Amino acid sequence: MKKILTVLILAVAALAASSRYVHGRGSATDMDQSRAHSEAMDQAKENIQNACPSGRLIPAPQVTQNECHPSGPGMVTCIVEISGSCED
């Protein structure tokens, strides 16, 4: 029983050492909210891929921030943040 427990502990430690938490953030300002949101999402996706050298995110990344707000006369600013674990 101790042998199985030791193997499980080592496996969990190895898994924790081989992944790290990363996030990508994007923001954009535009007169059109859907265009600003789309640009912010594209930036966030690109930034999270750049934060993960292997390019493998496990499990699939989650959107952790997704907001748009007025930022001036007729303008909207959108901020998107995506978080996940990177397999190193």
Side-chain angles (χ1 to χ4, degrees):
M1 184 67 169
K2 283 187 177 185
K3 193 174 196 177
I4 293 173
L5 183 59
T6 303
V7 170
L8 287 174
I9 290 172
L10 290 174
V12 169
L15 180 61
S18 66
S19 66
R20 64 186 171 93
Y21 187 74
V22 294
H23 70 273
R25 183 179 173 104
S27 65
T29 301
D30 201 297
M31 292 174 65
D32 182 282
Q33 182 171 338
S34 64
R35 189 170 34 229
H37 184 265
S38 178
E39 287 179 30
M41 183 66 77
D42 290 345
Q43 283 181 16
K45 287 177 182 177
E46 182 178 333
N47 288 336
I48 198 167
Q49 286 297 322
N50 290 338
C52 185
S54 70
R56 291 187 301 261
L57 294 158
I58 51 168
Q62 301 292 315
V63 175
T64 53
Q65 181 180 4
N66 189 0
E67 60 184 54
C68 294
H69 54 83
S71 60
M75 302 298 281
V76 175
T77 296
C78 293
I79 300 168
V80 176
E81 185 171 296
I82 302 173
S83 301
S85 293
C86 179
E87 184 180 281
D88 289 331

